[in-house]
Amino acid sequence: MIKIMIVEDEVGLVTLLKYNLEKQGYETNVVMDGKDVMREALLEKPDLILLDWMLPNVQGIDLCREIRKTYELRNTPLIMLTARGDEADKVRGLSYGADDYMTKPFSVPELMARIVALLRRSQPVSTQENLSFADITMDFSKRRVTRGDRHVHLGPTEFRLLQFLMEKPGHVLSRESLLKSVWGGAIHVELRTVDVHIRRLRRALNEGGEADIIRTVRSAGYALEVSSDEPAEEYED
Ligand code: CA
């Protein structure tokens, strides 16, 4: 059974989420206080975490960062629930390691669709054991990425993005096609979300000071290429 941890302090919303998730056949476990989250998550090992931004004692955003730094939890799919509509806050949420976010008030069917999509992209789809490009290797059985001798820590979304790029090295993949492949076609996600996750993927791949192998092709998309000496371009929109 797929276990979803609901981290939320609004009783009404907890009831609504618990009811709808259990109706879909998920097992749930509820945590209402920020200070209990890490202990409960390590104990329960949920398959996905719904994490409220504003919580008593510890902020959701700090928990998000903490979860991504914790070895046993760092691959756990995570959706941030936020009451703040501010774009910057959303992107900030994503750059701290959330895989998706919902702004309150949100529609329950939309959240359910996003949960399904996120759980799906957390499962590697490759039938191959390994994919290699330049000094990067993806091992699907161990769900492990290495660059040279270095272990690269990737969240589920970055893992899938890298997989699609590695399956077509040298090809320019549009943001639309990456969105469709990685997030699934059925849900509405802004194109700039792709850029946020590409930025995270790049940061993780280049953490050891290695050359950038993801080329940004302005107004076209992204491609995996052995680096020239040109500095990496980024979308500024
Ligand atoms: Ca709250």
Side-chain angles (χ1 to χ4, degrees), residues 137-192:
T137 303
M138 299 185 85
D139 179 332
F140 291 97
S141 58
K142 294 190 187 122
R143 213 198 157 283
R144 194 181 157 90
V145 177
T146 48
R147 182 152 200 195
D149 296 329
R150 187 172 65 83
H151 185 186
V152 180
H153 303 287
L154 297 179
T157 305
E158 286 72 45
F159 189 93
R160 282 295 286 270
L161 264 179
L162 180 63
Q163 181 186 338
F164 281 104
L165 289 166
M166 299 238 328
E167 283 172 348
K168 288 194 169 99
H171 291 248
V172 179
L173 301 177
S174 69
R175 296 194 291 169
E176 288 83 354
S177 74
L178 287 169
L179 198 63
K180 211 170 155 205
S181 309
V182 176
W183 279 262
I187 55 170
H188 174 74
V189 179
E190 291 168 54
L191 277 178
R192 76 172 67 179

Side-chain angles (χ1 to χ4, degrees), residues 35-60:
K35 70 174 168 18
D36 301 328
V37 171
M38 293 310 290
R39 192 192 59 232
E40 279 292 309
L42 282 166
L43 199 71
E44 295 286 336
K45 303 258 164 48
D47 297 291
L48 186 144
I49 301 174
L50 296 177
L51 181 59
D52 182 28
W53 187 297
M54 298 287 283
L55 288 164
N57 295 312
V58 188
Q59 294 282 299

Side-chain angles (χ1 to χ4, degrees), residues 87-105:
E87 283 290 317
D89 278 351
K90 292 178 190 172
V91 176
R92 199 167 137 239
L94 290 173
S95 73
Y96 280 137
D99 297 291
D100 205 347
Y101 59 84
M102 297 292 288
T103 306
K104 296 176 192 175

